[in-house]
């Protein structure tokens, strides 16, 4: 099958790629744009390593075809990181030692970005639900949850919001 | 783990989608892709043409009209899960969706896609049967309506004919209280056993009941005898014992390395008891 052009917003900038219909979004950003922060683990929707944001919501990059991105806004881990230094979530993950091998980390960061965008002060249950589709084989998840809780705590202090009742 | 080549079209109307599906013998519609894309990756599915339904606006949305809730087949599971009108109108659907996948799969996965895929261990078919939903199907000859109980035929098999598209689900206002419980290896996994329970109690009498088991056979199993006992004897502790004794345990055919048929049979009565009790405990008199 011949390649076709697909145009979408990638990390805030317009992008046009020539892709085969069978190419997944995760493969396309890695192979055509060299954005290899989007990791591919299982390639069938189980592990969450390929998580990207679609209009702000975490989705599986391996379960969306690149051609389907036409006109949509995609954010990869490269777009969720500041040009220098670390994002708030990345910084919290570093401080809490929330990664060892780092393979799941881009997906974890984006799953949490999506959570915090909707829920600035999530409780532990919200956090565990948000990362429930992301496998980590190193940390046992506790440091990741602790990192996310520390971000929630910081947001709560900044917003002066009450602690969640849950 | 890469799909075989296929062609791709993204029509913007149902009529165009039907035309495209009719134009290729092995064309397939793609909804949220959360089941079909893995099947493509494993090359379990090798369509020559994928007809993407994601660009058809009329297939998405939640609308309540004349006591009937119509949910477009392409409405994302996350949207349905977060919908107040669905929570009011058909709480069992929300209870089922809480067990479907994870936030990222629900952000893309659709309500109709899961039904049309008809995985025997999926939650939504059981919920649709327990809610007595009507499945609205479009084909070249126009629209037709099929009761959920007649729509789900077997494993990955529905009343959808080649070239047809599931366009919407219609739900009458849910009668009674409900609960959806399941046993799965991890939260978000497919169920080893799932139970959808709905009980309508009025003036101490049980006027309607639905008890639907999933994950145990080729398709969800409606527990007709158990429902009859509930309706006859009411949702009393004694009746519940009789209900549990009348469950169709011989319907269990699923038998896998991770969960034997015997294990599933042991799980069913306790899960049913908990589901009925959870439903009754959620009773809020309007």
């Amino acid at each position: 099958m011949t390649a076709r052009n697909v145009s979408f917003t990638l990390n805030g900038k317009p992008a046009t790629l020539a892709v085969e219909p069978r190419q997944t979004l995760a493969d396309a950003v890695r192979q055509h744009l060299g954005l290899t922060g989007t990791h591919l683990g299982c390639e069938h929707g189980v592990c969450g390593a390929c998580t990207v944001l679609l209009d702000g919501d975490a989705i599986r990059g391996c379960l969306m075809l690149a051609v389907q991105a036409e006109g949509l806004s995609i954010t990869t881990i490269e777009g969720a990181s500041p040009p220098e230094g670390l994002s708030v979530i990345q910084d919290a993950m570093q401080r809490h030692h929330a990664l060892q091998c780092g393979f799941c980390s881009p997906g974890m960061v984006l799953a949490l970005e999506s959570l915090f965008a909707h829920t600035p002060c999530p409780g532990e249950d919200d956090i565990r639900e948000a990362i429930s589709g992301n496998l980590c084989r190193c940390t046992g998840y506790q440091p990741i949850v602790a990192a996310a809780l520390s971000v929630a705590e910081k947001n709560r202090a900044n917003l002066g919001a009450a602690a969640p009742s849950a | 783990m890469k799909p075989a080549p296929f062609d791709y079209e993204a029509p913007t109307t149902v009529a165009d989608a039907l035309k495209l599906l009719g134009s290729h013998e092995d064309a397939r519609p793609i909804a949220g892709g959360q089941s079909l894309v893995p099947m493509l990756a494993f090359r379990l599915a090798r369509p020559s043409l994928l007809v993407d339904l994601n660009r058809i606006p009329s297939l998405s949305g939640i609308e309540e009209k004349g006591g009937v809730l119509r949910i477009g087949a392409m409405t994302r599971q996350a949207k349905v899960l977060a919908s107040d009108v669905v929570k009011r109108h058909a709480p069992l659907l929300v209870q089922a969706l809480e067990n479907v996948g994870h936030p990222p799969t629900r952000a893309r996965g659709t309500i109709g896609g899961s039904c049309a895929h008809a995985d025997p261990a999926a939650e939504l078919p059981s919920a649709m049967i327990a809610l007595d939903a009507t499945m609205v199907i479009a084909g070249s000859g126009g629209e037709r309506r099929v009761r959920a109980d007649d729509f789900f035929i077997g494993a990955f098999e529905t009343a959808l004919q080649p070239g047809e598209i599931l366009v919407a689900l219609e739900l009458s206002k849910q009668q009674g209280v409900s609960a959806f419980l399941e046993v799965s290896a991890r939260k978000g996994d497919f169920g080893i056993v799932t139970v959808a329970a709905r009980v309508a109690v009025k003036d101490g009498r049980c006027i309607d009941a639905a008890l639907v088991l999933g994950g145990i056979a080729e398709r969800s199993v409606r527990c007709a005898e158990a429902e009859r006992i509930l309706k006859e004897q009411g949702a009393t502790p004694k009746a519940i014992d009789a209900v549990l004794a009348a469950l169709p345990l011989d319907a269990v055919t699923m038998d896998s390395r991770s969960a034997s048929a015997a294990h599933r049979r042991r799980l069913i009565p306790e899960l049913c008891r908990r589901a009925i009790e959870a439903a009754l405990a959620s009773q809020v008199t309007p």
Side-chain angles (χ1 to χ4, degrees):
Chain A
M1 300 292 157
T2 48
R4 60 171 70 202
N5 280 339
V6 55
S7 298
F8 54 101
T9 303
L10 183 68
N11 298 331
K13 295 192 199 100
T16 299
L17 311 178
V19 295
E20 267 189 86
R22 63 170 170 161
Q23 246 180 333
T24 67
L25 181 61
D27 273 336
V29 297
R30 287 176 59 86
Q31 293 171 9
H32 292 268
L33 298 165
L35 296 177
T36 53
T38 302
H39 290 170
L40 278 166
C42 70
E43 294 186 87
H44 64 281
V46 173
C47 75
C50 65
T51 302
V52 298
L53 302 181
L54 166 62
D55 295 326
D57 290 326
I59 63 153
R60 302 271 199 246
C62 74
L63 296 189
M64 185 167 165
L65 303 169
V67 283
Q68 295 185 295
E70 179 66 40
L72 304 178
S73 175
I74 305 292
T75 306
T76 64
I77 188 66
E78 289 87 354
S81 316
E84 298 289 330
L86 300 172
S87 72
V88 173
I89 292 166
Q90 288 169 329
D91 180 62
M93 284 180 68
Q94 188 191 49
R95 279 186 291 107
H96 286 84
H97 197 63
L99 63 151
Q100 288 176 33
C101 84
F103 195 83
C104 74
S105 305
M108 287 289 181
V109 170
L110 290 172
L112 290 171
E113 286 285 354
S114 178
L115 169 69
F116 281 107
H118 295 110
T119 314
C121 309
E124 184 173 336
D125 287 352
D126 302 321
I127 292 164
R128 289 191 183 275
E129 173 71 8
I131 62 167
S132 64
N134 293 65
L135 298 182
C136 172
R137 303 284 80 155
C138 303
T139 62
Y141 304 99
Q142 307 297 348
I144 300 172
V145 173
L149 278 170
S150 78
V151 176
E153 192 57 47
K154 201 183 279 175
N155 289 350
R156 198 170 296 128
N158 290 343
L159 293 167
S165 53
Chain B
M1 297 304 296
K2 308 294 181 194
F6 51 78
D7 220 331
Y8 170 85
E9 295 289 345
T12 55
T13 65
V14 171
D16 285 349
L18 291 171
K19 219 174 287 166
L20 284 162
L21 286 171
S23 70
H24 283 59
E25 202 172 320
D26 52 353
R28 276 190 80 148
I30 179 166
Q34 304 301 291
S35 300
L36 181 54
V37 178
M39 288 172 68
L40 293 170
F42 284 119
R43 302 198 175 195
L44 293 169
R46 298 185 66 152
S48 62
L49 169 70
L50 268 195
V51 179
D52 192 347
L53 307 181
N54 283 279
R55 304 275 164 179
I56 305 176
S58 67
L59 290 180
S60 287
I62 301 168
E63 190 187 21
E64 193 181 10
K65 215 170 170 182
V68 174
L69 189 71
R70 183 184 165 102
I71 305 178
M74 285 298 294
T75 311
R76 308 289 170 193
Q77 291 159 6
K79 280 259 157 49
V80 179
L81 184 57
S83 160
D84 286 332
V85 54
V86 177
K87 214 165 281 173
R88 267 198 319 274
H89 193 98
L92 177 58
L93 181 51
V94 172
Q95 291 158 347
L97 276 167
E98 285 168 353
N99 294 283
V100 177
H102 310 282
T105 62
R106 294 195 296 258
R108 283 295 286 172
T110 66
I111 204 93
S114 177
C115 289
H117 183 58
D119 191 303
E123 290 83 359
L124 293 180
S126 287
M128 293 302 162
I129 293 168
L131 287 166
D132 210 2
T134 301
M135 323 298 277
V136 185
I137 297 169
S140 51
E143 266 188 15
R144 63 188 182 104
R145 285 171 158 71
V146 178
R147 286 184 57 215
D149 206 12
D150 300 324
F151 178 83
F152 297 103
I153 293 172
F156 310 106
E157 192 186 352
T158 68
L160 283 168
Q161 297 299 312
E164 287 186 323
I165 300 172
L166 178 64
V167 290
L169 314 162
E170 290 178 347
L171 298 162
S172 305
K173 184 155 174 59
Q174 177 177 325
Q175 295 300 304
V177 290
S178 59
F180 193 101
L181 296 183
E182 71 175 38
V183 174
S184 58
R186 287 164 298 265
K187 174 142 189 338
D189 283 12
F190 283 113
I192 292 167
V193 176
T194 71
V195 178
R198 181 174 61 76
V199 188
V201 180
K202 198 178 175 190
D203 304 328
R205 290 188 53 241
C206 177
I207 53 168
D208 195 17
L211 196 61
V212 182
L213 303 174
I216 60 162
E218 297 279 296
R219 54 150 277 174
S220 297
V221 176
R222 189 151 191 175
C223 308
E225 178 63 12
E227 290 173 4
R228 191 185 60 76
I229 293 171
L230 267 176
K231 279 186 267 192
E232 245 165 44
Q233 305 188 14
T236 61
K238 203 174 131 215
I240 292 173
D241 284 342
V243 164
L244 300 183
L247 292 169
L249 297 184
D250 52 358
V252 177
T253 54
M254 285 288 177
D255 190 36
S256 63
R257 201 171 45 171
S258 55
S260 67
H263 178 54
R264 289 173 210 253
R265 283 190 202 101
R266 276 194 298 272
L267 290 171
I268 289 169
E270 179 58 23
L271 205 58
C272 284
R273 175 195 297 282
R274 291 185 192 183
I276 296 168
E277 288 175 356
L280 292 171
S282 73
Q283 179 109 38
V284 188
T285 25

